[in-house]
Amino acid sequence: MQSTAPVPPDPGGHAPRRWLVPACVLSTVAVLVPVLWVTGGFAETPREPAKASGQAVDLGLFSVVVRDARVGRAAADFGTGRQRFLIVRLRVLNQGKETVSLGIGGLTDGIAARTRTGKWVKPDQMEGIAGGAKTATTQPGLPVEASAMWKMGPADAPRQFVVGLRRWEYGHGFTDSSFRWQVDLEDGSFAGRLTLPVAAPARPSVTPRPSVTPRPTRSATPRTRPRITPKPTGRR
């Protein structure tokens, strides 16, 4: 029989022995799967890459450097007085060609913090300083020192704070054909995720009072009147 001749059918009516290779593969997978499960080989890849504080994160419309997180008090919106916040300090650079707000519709939409239940929430308010003056917007090419703030209760004292930075895309929406920068608030992925240690609030310094030297007490000894010597008269 030539080597190129077709394989004759099994005279016993059995199917060709084609299951040997799949059986070997299945046996290998059966051994490999538990190992991968233990070592995390099939674990889901995080959708947001971890970043370090002080490192610039490119968000498309913005370049953001997350500095640190701390607990502090600040004036709340709508004149409700000073409240307790968890404050994340940022350095923001507008990489677009137009002025963009720091608040709703702007930078605030691209920043979120993860709660204990795993939900991501936007900052309650945002403040910025550019050129030594307060600002609520970002100008193209002008760095802004911003503070993203989340309200806290009187007893909240987290040791870590997880912040996610969303990426902005330049395109048009479903209902209009004009191109603009947009961020998808429903997308659970982030351009960067940072786990920040939370610094404790600084205690107000107490200036020591100067020591007071006690005054000497007056003596209780009664004063004695001096004797009055009579003046001599002119008579002898």
Side-chain angles (χ1 to χ4, degrees), residues 2-236:
Q2 298 180 0
S3 59
T4 57
V7 179
D10 187 6
H14 298 287
R17 300 175 63 183
R18 299 178 181 177
W19 293 98
L20 292 178
V21 175
C24 295
V25 174
L26 290 176
S27 62
T28 304
V29 172
V31 176
L32 183 60
V33 168
V35 176
L36 290 175
W37 182 81
V38 173
T39 58
F42 288 156
E44 182 182 358
T45 303
R47 302 182 66 183
E48 56 275 353
K51 300 291 184 179
S53 58
Q55 177 183 0
V57 183
D58 186 5
L59 306 182
L61 178 57
F62 300 102
S63 175
V64 176
V65 176
V66 178
R67 299 195 184 279
D68 53 32
R70 61 185 177 87
V71 177
R73 290 186 175 273
D77 290 337
F78 310 110
T80 55
R82 297 181 64 84
Q83 296 186 13
R84 197 163 176 259
F85 290 91
L86 198 147
I87 304 171
V88 175
R89 297 193 307 155
L90 315 164
R91 182 185 183 273
V92 182
L93 181 64
N94 183 348
Q95 301 183 133
K97 297 181 179 180
E98 298 179 356
T99 301
V100 183
S101 171
L102 285 173
I104 299 175
L107 180 64
T108 297
D109 292 346
I111 299 178
R114 191 175 65 187
T115 64
R116 296 178 181 177
T117 59
K119 183 179 179 181
W120 293 91
V121 294
K122 295 192 300 183
D124 293 302
Q125 63 188 67
M126 183 84 69
E127 295 180 355
I129 297 178
K134 291 185 177 181
T135 180
T137 61
T138 61
Q139 304 295 332
L142 180 62
V144 176
E145 295 296 329
S147 295
M149 299 185 288
W150 288 263
K151 291 181 180 180
M152 299 182 63
D156 294 335
R159 295 183 178 180
Q160 291 183 334
F161 197 64
V162 181
V163 179
L165 305 175
R166 292 189 173 94
R167 182 171 181 81
W168 294 72
E169 302 290 345
Y170 189 73
H172 61 82
F174 293 101
T175 59
D176 57 70
S177 58
S178 60
F179 282 77
R180 54 189 176 87
W181 285 101
Q182 303 174 81
V183 61
D184 188 358
L185 300 179
E186 301 299 330
D187 188 2
S189 63
F190 293 90
R193 174 180 50 84
L194 298 93
T195 302
L196 305 171
V198 179
R203 295 182 179 180
S205 58
V206 179
T207 305
R209 296 181 178 179
S211 58
V212 179
T213 304
R215 296 181 179 179
T217 57
R218 296 181 178 180
S219 175
T221 305
R223 295 180 179 180
T224 57
R225 295 182 178 181
R227 287 186 177 184
I228 301 175
T229 304
K231 295 180 179 181
T233 59
R235 296 179 182 180
R236 291 184 176 178

